[in-house]
Amino acid sequence: MDRSIFSIKKESPVADSLKSFSFANLLQAAAAEYGRFPAFSDRNGGHWRSVDFRDCARRSNAIAHWLEQKRLNTRCMIFAESRLEWPLAFFGIMNAGAVAIPVDAKSTAQELATFIRHTQPAVLMLSPKLQGVAEQAAELAQWQGPLVLLDL
């Protein structure tokens, strides 16, 4: 029994990209197929904001390009609450061929420092709200990598 919420046409770019097992291909196909439809939404400061599939692909590709240019496309940690920037960072990391290391936004500085010490990420992508915790964790872990704020 098929319990899918929506169906993907058997002959579509999205269906073909699913066969490739590639996030980059999936995102590009979704952008082509669904274009200006909302991909992700969140509530920020009492206002809803959204990013459509095309913009999601464009922004994620920009993150991937930046990671590749800086040679940070190995292990990338994401430390952010649920917000639009989270999936953009995730897809950017995947598009760069890197490994995403998601960390619970409720983690303490000590917990985050432990994760940093054990994974040695090339970069830590975080939300502005968690900057203080991330800075403290980087100091505790004696980690010198870049902290990148995710803020549209």
Side-chain angles (χ1 to χ4, degrees):
M1 174 187 289
D2 181 19
R3 295 194 180 267
S4 59
I5 296 172
F6 64 93
S7 62
I8 297 172
K9 298 175 203 165
K10 288 182 182 180
E11 301 298 325
S12 75
V14 175
D16 291 340
S17 70
L18 288 172
K19 295 174 190 170
S20 75
F21 299 102
S22 165
F23 278 110
N25 290 347
L26 178 61
L27 187 57
Q28 295 310 314
E33 183 84 8
Y34 305 116
R36 295 293 172 201
F37 287 99
F40 301 103
S41 298
D42 74 1
R43 191 174 173 129
N44 186 7
H47 296 88
W48 282 98
R49 58 189 190 145
S50 295
V51 62
D52 63 43
F53 281 93
R54 284 186 192 156
D55 201 32
C56 180
R58 184 184 62 77
R59 290 173 187 260
S60 295
N61 289 337
I63 291 169
H65 182 70
W66 182 83
L67 288 169
E68 290 166 350
Q69 277 192 323
K70 299 290 184 181
R71 298 186 189 272
L72 298 171
N73 58 327
T74 55
R75 290 178 305 279
C76 305
M77 188 172 279
I78 303 173
F79 183 53
E81 65 278 11
S82 180
R83 55 187 289 142
L84 281 180
E85 293 85 355
W86 202 106
L88 298 176
F90 179 80
F91 279 114
I93 292 166
M94 296 292 101
N95 288 349
V99 174
I101 307 165
V103 177
D104 187 346
K106 295 177 185 170
S107 297
T108 65
Q110 186 62 50
E111 291 168 333
L112 182 58
T114 299
F115 299 141
I116 291 170
R117 275 193 298 273
H118 287 283
T119 62
Q120 288 298 306
V123 63
L124 174 55
M125 298 179 168
L126 62 136
S127 69
K129 181 179 174 181
L130 301 173
Q131 185 174 355
V133 175
E135 288 171 348
Q136 186 181 2
E139 187 176 319
L140 287 169
Q142 298 179 345
W143 180 75
Q144 300 297 315
L147 299 175
V148 176
L149 290 177
L150 299 171
D151 200 15
L152 292 179

